[in-house]
Amino acid sequence: MNVMNYKGYSARIEYSDEDKLLVGHIVGINDVVGFHGESVPELRGAFEEAVDDYLETCAKLGRAPQKPYSGKLSLRMAPELHASISAKAMLSNKSINQWVVDVLDREAHA
């Protein structure tokens, strides 16, 4: 999957063979915002225009735009897993939070 980022918003990019276009949709919000282009530069411009238009439309409607993910994540897990993660974090001289972020970041970019 290919991703573009702009003003804190991310978009998933796909290719439509039927339309012969690159197609994108903003992810992480409930509103549906899509855009397309025939080339990467055109797609980039359409994405930025879509985000700007989304923000302007929300302002005109007097409602706050939905924000992408805050970066905060709450997890529930078995106590045994929590203990294991805590031990691994301590052995790495990291907080549980930093250890988990490092592991997830490594996996997300693998």
Side-chain angles (χ1 to χ4, degrees):
M1 174 174 47
N2 294 305
V3 177
M4 284 186 169
N5 297 293
Y6 178 68
K7 291 188 177 180
Y9 290 89
S10 297
R12 181 184 68 243
I13 309 302
E14 299 172 345
Y15 176 70
S16 169
D17 193 46
E18 179 181 328
D19 299 320
K20 306 292 188 243
L21 291 172
L22 295 164
V23 179
H25 292 91
I26 295 176
V27 297
I29 62 174
N30 292 325
D31 293 318
V32 178
V33 180
F35 54 94
H36 62 273
E38 293 182 5
S39 66
V40 173
E42 188 177 307
L43 186 70
R44 163 61 63 187
F47 172 46
E48 293 177 5
E49 185 178 318
V51 170
D52 291 340
D53 184 59
Y54 173 67
L55 296 173
E56 290 171 18
T57 299
C58 288
K60 287 178 188 173
L61 295 173
R63 74 174 181 98
Q66 293 177 344
K67 298 289 183 185
Y69 297 104
S70 67
K72 297 177 186 175
L73 178 65
S74 179
L75 301 171
R76 304 247 186 270
M77 63 187 78
E80 299 80 17
L81 178 58
H82 193 170
S84 176
I85 290 170
S86 178
K88 289 180 185 277
M90 282 190 267
L91 289 170
S92 299
N93 291 318
K94 297 178 181 178
S95 68
I96 290 174
N97 189 67
Q98 188 57 58
W99 186 86
V100 169
V101 167
D102 290 349
V103 169
L104 293 175
D105 187 56
R106 196 169 45 245
E107 287 299 315
H109 293 101

